[in-house]
Amino acid sequence: MKQRRAKPAGRPTVFPAENRFERWDARALAAHPEPEFEQCHFIGCDFSGAQLGQFRFADCLFERCNLSSAAMAGASLQNVAFTDCKLSGVQFAACRDFLFEVQFQGCQLHYASFFGKKLRNTRFVNCSLTDADFTSADLTDAAFQDCTLRGAVFRSTQLVGADFTTASEFSIDPDGNTLTKARFTLTGLLGLVDKYGVIVE
């Protein structure tokens, strides 16, 4: 196994022609001779409910894929991007911590769990994160660009420098999370004081 980088890399965009996989399902994935995928582009695949724990994905892009309820216990995600994917119920918390690095754009992440994960600088762009769990996660300098966060759980979460300026429907307890230099709009501040039952006019 080649040595992996020690700092965050850019969004994967370059893939060898032979590493383009379209409309695969769980059986096709399980039949792959190697448990490691590097610089691979998965398009329109249905891995819903699939067992992914034995695989390592590095510098990969999942585009328009369904991974809802996929089992991630032991899976390795190293600089993996998801675009326009269904990821409802995915337990990212069960992934290996070593070099864990993910990005999301246009994804459904309802009930996804990031409990205890290091997500520094992670970008969530135009994602629906209804009831997602960020308990004890490290979201330092993360960004929630044009994301909806209705019911998302932030508890003992590191949110230093996190950007919520274009996020909506979030509720964050400033007494139970670290919010130093986190960014909010004036309207978004309502999501920080709703537990007090105050009325802002």
Side-chain angles (χ1 to χ4, degrees):
M1 183 185 300
K2 69 181 181 181
Q3 185 177 2
R4 305 301 298 167
R5 63 193 156 270
K7 60 182 179 180
R11 181 182 178 86
T13 57
V14 178
F15 313 99
E18 65 272 18
N19 287 358
R20 179 184 172 101
F21 308 115
E22 295 191 54
R23 297 193 175 119
W24 272 26
D25 59 13
R27 287 182 299 177
L29 192 67
H32 193 267
E34 298 293 334
E36 300 189 357
F37 292 88
E38 293 197 24
Q39 290 186 289
C40 293
H41 189 183
F42 298 91
I43 306 168
C45 298
D46 185 1
F47 298 139
S48 55
Q51 298 290 325
L52 303 181
Q54 70 271 36
F55 296 108
R56 181 176 76 91
F57 300 95
D59 302 314
C60 293
L61 170 63
F62 289 84
E63 184 176 0
R64 301 191 307 277
C65 295
N66 184 1
L67 293 96
S68 295
S69 300
M72 290 287 192
S76 182
L77 302 180
Q78 302 173 2
N79 191 34
V80 176
F82 299 89
T83 299
D84 299 325
C85 291
K86 296 179 180 179
L87 296 152
S88 297
V90 174
Q91 301 294 303
F92 291 98
C95 292
R96 294 180 186 176
D97 290 329
F98 183 66
L99 296 176
F100 179 81
E101 184 182 345
V102 288
Q103 302 178 53
F104 304 93
Q105 182 172 340
C107 293
Q108 295 179 18
L109 287 149
H110 306 165
Y111 300 100
S113 175
F114 297 93
F115 183 97
K117 300 305 286 187
K118 289 186 178 180
L119 295 159
R120 288 174 170 247
N121 299 295
T122 299
R123 294 295 180 263
F124 297 87
V125 180
N126 194 30
C127 292
S128 179
L129 290 143
T130 301
D131 295 311
D133 185 7
F134 294 100
T135 300
S136 299
D138 183 354
L139 285 159
T140 299
D141 293 324
F144 294 90
Q145 181 179 338
D146 299 314
C147 292
T148 57
L149 290 153
R150 186 174 66 254
V153 178
F154 296 91
R155 187 178 297 117
S156 300
T157 308
Q158 291 290 328
L159 295 167
V160 176
D163 187 351
F164 290 90
T165 55
T166 58
S168 63
E169 301 185 65
F170 55 84
S171 178
I172 301 173
D173 182 357
D175 296 325
N177 299 279
T178 304
L179 292 167
T180 307
K181 295 185 179 180
R183 299 172 59 199
F184 301 89
T185 62
L186 184 59
T187 302
L189 288 176
L190 295 175
L192 302 181
V193 299
D194 57 353
K195 79 166 188 174
Y196 301 112
V198 300
I199 299 174
V200 179
E201 298 180 348

